[in-house]
Amino acid sequence: MSTYVDGTTPYAPFGGLTQMTLGAVAKTRADNSRLQLTSLIAGAGATTPLTLGFGYSATQNNGNLSSQTINHAGTVFTQNYTGYDGANRLTAASEGANWAQSYAY
């Protein structure tokens, strides 16, 4: 039998996991005061191959993402989510000058 989660797994005050080790990969997460995921980091040892960051509106936080940052081995990509319709469905997203997409429902 293999142990996939060690016995020293820390929990946040609200009861969610803040760190977990799966095999050789450690995963660390952080949440804001509304318990929304703000960062997720995965790495093995001193190597951090993947960092994800999640942003929410500071003035109108209804749970919709306003941005997502992906850092993979030092290469950073940031997507901005700039439009949502009345049903909170994504209507516009972009990644700098490289990519933009509109959605209609």
Side-chain angles (χ1 to χ4, degrees):
M1 184 170 142
S2 298
T3 301
Y4 295 102
V5 178
D6 67 22
T8 60
T9 303
Y11 291 87
F14 66 88
L17 288 171
T18 58
Q19 188 173 23
M20 177 178 8
T21 302
L22 303 169
V25 177
K27 176 196 80 94
T28 304
R29 70 173 283 151
D31 302 279
N32 64 18
S33 62
R34 296 187 64 168
L35 308 181
Q36 297 164 318
L37 180 64
T38 57
S39 71
L40 184 63
I41 302 168
T47 305
T48 304
L50 181 65
T51 302
L52 304 175
F54 305 95
Y56 305 89
S57 171
T59 58
Q60 187 180 359
N61 185 347
N62 61 0
N64 293 336
L65 283 175
S66 62
S67 66
Q68 173 181 259
T69 302
I70 303 167
N71 183 337
H72 182 258
T75 303
V76 179
F77 304 95
T78 300
Q79 290 87 32
N80 293 299
Y81 307 114
T82 55
Y84 289 89
D85 67 10
N88 289 320
R89 297 176 295 194
L90 183 64
T91 59
S94 64
E95 186 177 284
N98 301 321
W99 171 82
Q101 182 72 45
S102 296
Y103 304 96
Y105 302 94

